[in-house]
Amino acid sequence: HSFNISNGYLNHLLDIDANEDEIFRRFHRTAVQVHIRKLLDSGITIKTGASLKDVGDFYRIYIRMRKELHLPPQPFIFFKNMWNELHPHNYVELLLVEHENKVVAGMWVLKNRWLYSFEYLARPCKNDKLRCAHFLYWHGIKSAISSNTPVVSFGRISARNTGLDLFKRRWGTRVVPYNDLVYPDVEEKAREDKYMFRIMKKVSPALPLPLFRMLGEIIYRII
């Protein structure tokens, strides 16, 4: 047997090789810069999560977002275990957006000395009037700048997701292939073509949130 290369994904990397003002100027003016400037005067604030309660606030928004997107949610214990194991060693950073004293969005970041990686975004999808994603990405980039981390990763996406690809390119990123090695050498289906993915897209809109959460736990045990 040999390995097969699965190349259906992309990664968007931002090199932190200049000061904050110079990096900001690399962003697309109307699609990124304008929104960030508006957000700075919108009354929303950023805080860094420090406890499992903050992880719970993040997950509350995350699971609702996954339901809106018709995607299976990772179980809460997945985030809880990461927090317990990695946060004491400073390998996790949790950014939370607050508006009117309520957490309304969050970003789960994995990091080390050379990479600051946006892993999981939690925000309202259909009603994100505050454009929290822009706010979170910008504050994450500033955190990487302040810690002298050389590269920010915007996370893996499907090469089919042209809309998200364009959004991430507008942050001045460079695009690199994200290849997985699959063993044994069998053809790897894209996520969108997998049976479980198609079933989830079909049934999730009708599921109450507790059942949706339970289904996610079952699916992630299987896969």
Side-chain angles (χ1 to χ4, degrees):
H1 294 290
S2 60
F3 288 93
N4 177 48
I5 297 177
S6 175
N7 56 5
Y9 296 95
L10 301 173
N11 200 351
H12 297 71
L13 303 178
L14 177 66
D15 295 310
I16 305 300
D17 55 2
N19 62 36
E20 185 177 306
D21 290 340
E22 173 58 32
I23 288 174
F24 186 85
R25 283 193 290 270
R26 296 174 187 173
F27 303 158
H28 190 282
R29 188 179 65 82
T30 56
V32 179
Q33 291 185 19
V34 168
H35 294 304
I36 291 173
R37 289 193 176 104
K38 286 180 179 178
L39 286 166
L40 296 177
D41 298 320
S42 67
I44 63 176
T45 58
I46 198 89
K47 79 168 187 176
T48 302
S51 67
L52 277 175
K53 178 185 179 301
D54 294 322
V55 177
D57 288 339
F58 166 85
Y59 191 75
R60 170 180 54 82
I61 302 160
Y62 178 76
I63 195 170
R64 292 182 182 276
M65 182 194 75
R66 298 289 284 192
K67 190 173 188 302
E68 283 189 51
L69 295 173
H70 307 162
L71 295 172
Q74 288 88 347
F76 175 73
I77 196 170
F78 170 74
F79 293 99
K80 179 182 177 181
N81 288 343
M82 267 202 293
W83 181 265
N84 287 338
E85 295 297 325
L86 300 179
H87 185 258
H89 303 287
N90 200 32
Y91 291 147
V92 168
E93 187 165 290
L94 178 57
L95 301 176
L96 298 171
V97 177
E98 291 187 318
H99 180 62
E100 296 178 348
N101 297 317
K102 182 181 178 182
V103 175
V104 295
M107 178 76 80
W108 188 275
V109 179
L110 296 180
K111 61 178 184 173
N112 54 31
R113 287 180 294 179
W114 58 271
L115 183 68
Y116 189 94
S117 183
F118 300 132
E119 293 292 327
Y120 301 100
L121 174 67
R123 66 177 179 90
C125 291
K126 298 176 183 176
N127 193 31
D128 187 14
K129 296 178 180 178
L130 295 171
R131 294 190 179 271
C132 294
H134 288 76
F135 199 62
L136 287 161
Y137 281 133
W138 176 230
H139 278 280
I141 291 166
K142 291 204 296 181
S143 179
I145 294 171
S146 66
S147 61
N148 296 314
T149 306
V151 178
V152 171
S153 168
F154 279 63
R156 187 187 80 163
I157 68 165
S158 169
R160 295 186 187 184
N161 195 337
T162 55
L164 191 54
D165 174 45
L166 177 60
F167 173 77
K168 293 184 177 183
R169 287 174 187 265
R170 285 173 166 172
W171 288 81
T173 58
R174 54 186 171 91
V175 183
V176 297
Y178 190 108
N179 295 328
D180 291 327
L181 294 176
V182 182
Y183 183 87
D185 185 3
V186 294
E187 184 178 356
E188 177 72 4
K189 287 185 178 180
R191 183 187 68 173
E192 295 88 349
D193 297 328
K194 291 182 179 179
Y195 176 75
M196 194 67 74
F197 182 89
R198 297 200 305 269
I199 289 293
M200 197 67 186
K201 294 283 281 187
K202 186 175 182 179
V203 305
S204 60
L207 289 176
L209 196 61
L211 284 180
F212 175 76
R213 179 171 178 169
M214 187 182 302
L215 183 58
E217 293 174 357
I218 293 170
I219 288 173
Y220 275 93
R221 285 196 193 115
I222 294 172
I223 63 174

